[in-house]
Amino acid sequence: MPSKQDIIEIFERLEAANPNPKSELSHTNEFTFAVAVILSAQTTDKAVNKVTQKLFEIADTPEKILAFGLEMLKAHLKSLGLSNSKAKNIIAMSQFLVSSYNSKLPQNRDELEELPGIGRKSANVIANRLFGEACIAVDTHVLRVAVRLGLSEPTKNPLAVEIALSHVVPIRFHKRASDWLVLHGRYVCVAINPRCTACLLGDLCKFNSRKAGLYNSDST
C-alpha cells in the first residue's frame, strides 16, 4: 500500500492534469445520462454515443421512451452488446420513474440502485456525476488501476475495491476519483501494454516498479 502522502500525491497529480474531468457519455439531461449509463455496460462510450445521438433526438424523457416502445427501442439498440436486456431495463426504468418519481431521477444512491438496470456501480456514477455525492464508482478501469497502484489488494471484486478506495483516498478527492481513474485506465494504464513510460504516476506505481525490476517476488 502506498503511504498516505503518496496517495495524496497520486490524486493531486491527476487533479492537476485534469481539474474538471468530464463524462465521455453524451447526454442531454439527467434521464438521458441514466439511459447512457445503462447502455455503457460492457460497451464502449463511443459505441453508446453513436446510438444515442439519434435516440435522444426522438426520446429524451421517460414518457417518450415508453411511447417509442420496446420493439422499436430494441431495433435502435441492436448494434450494442446485450441490447435486448438493456432495452427491457430502460423501458422498465421509464415506467418506474413515471409511476413512482414523477418522471424524475431520485437523487440518492440507494434509491437509484432500486431502478431497473441500475446496479451499484451505475448508481454510484449517476449519484456522483449528477448529484454530487462523494461516492466512488468501480468499473474495470478503476479496478485495474487501483490494484496496480496498490490502492487495493489484488481482487476482481468491484465492491471490495470501492470499499478500499473509500478508506484510503482522501475525502476531498472522492467526487472526482472515479473519473480520474477511469480516464487513466482508458488511455494510459490500459489492460494490455500499459503506457508506463508516459504515465504521470510511474514513480509512485508498484506495478510500474515491478516491471522495471525494482520489486522482487516477495515484496509484491
Side-chain angles (χ1 to χ4, degrees), residues 45-62:
D45 289 359
K46 183 177 180 180
V48 172
N49 292 341
K50 185 176 180 179
V51 167
T52 58
Q53 181 178 8
K54 293 182 178 179
L55 175 63
F56 294 158
E57 291 177 357
I58 304 167
D60 61 354
T61 67

Side-chain angles (χ1 to χ4, degrees), residues 120-166:
R120 184 176 181 89
K121 186 268 289 185
S122 296
N124 280 340
V125 170
I126 295 167
N128 181 290
R129 172 58 59 182
L130 296 182
F131 306 121
E133 281 201 36
C135 46
I136 299 176
V138 177
D139 68 355
T140 56
H141 298 299
V142 174
L143 189 152
R144 179 174 65 254
V145 173
V147 170
R148 285 179 174 176
L149 286 171
L151 301 175
S152 167
E153 294 296 322
T155 179
K156 294 183 179 180
N157 185 332
L159 180 57
V161 173
E162 179 188 332
I163 292 170
L165 290 173
S166 69

Side-chain angles (χ1 to χ4, degrees), residues 101-114:
Y101 288 101
N102 195 29
S103 299
K104 305 292 184 183
L105 286 179
Q107 296 190 11
N108 70 74
R109 182 178 64 186
D110 290 340
E111 289 182 303
L112 285 165
E113 200 171 347
E114 294 177 356

Side-chain angles (χ1 to χ4, degrees), residues 144-191:
R144 179 174 65 254
V145 173
V147 170
R148 285 179 174 176
L149 286 171
L151 301 175
S152 167
E153 294 296 322
T155 179
K156 294 183 179 180
N157 185 332
L159 180 57
V161 173
E162 179 188 332
I163 292 170
L165 290 173
S166 69
H167 287 155
V168 303
V169 176
I171 189 66
R172 66 188 173 102
F173 298 120
H174 279 203
K175 286 186 179 180
R176 291 293 174 260
S178 297
D179 294 323
W180 288 321
L181 295 176
V182 165
L183 293 172
H184 192 67
R186 186 173 291 166
Y187 297 111
V188 181
C189 194
V190 296

Side-chain angles (χ1 to χ4, degrees), residues 31 61-62 65-66 89-99:
F31 172 72
T61 67
I65 284 287
L66 294 175
N89 282 331
I90 290 168
I91 291 291
M93 179 182 72
S94 299
Q95 291 171 331
F96 195 72
L97 291 176
V98 169
S99 63

Side-chain angles (χ1 to χ4, degrees), residues 34-94:
V35 170
V37 169
I38 290 175
L39 294 177
S40 69
Q42 300 182 40
T43 307
T44 66
D45 289 359
K46 183 177 180 180
V48 172
N49 292 341
K50 185 176 180 179
V51 167
T52 58
Q53 181 178 8
K54 293 182 178 179
L55 175 63
F56 294 158
E57 291 177 357
I58 304 167
D60 61 354
T61 67
E63 291 85 356
K64 289 179 182 178
I65 284 287
L66 294 175
F68 199 52
L70 178 59
E71 295 308 315
M72 287 288 290
L73 187 57
K74 284 182 179 180
H76 199 91
L77 303 179
K78 65 182 179 180
S79 65
L80 302 179
L82 307 174
S83 58
N84 286 349
S85 62
K86 290 176 180 179
K88 291 176 182 177
N89 282 331
I90 290 168
I91 291 291
M93 179 182 72
S94 299

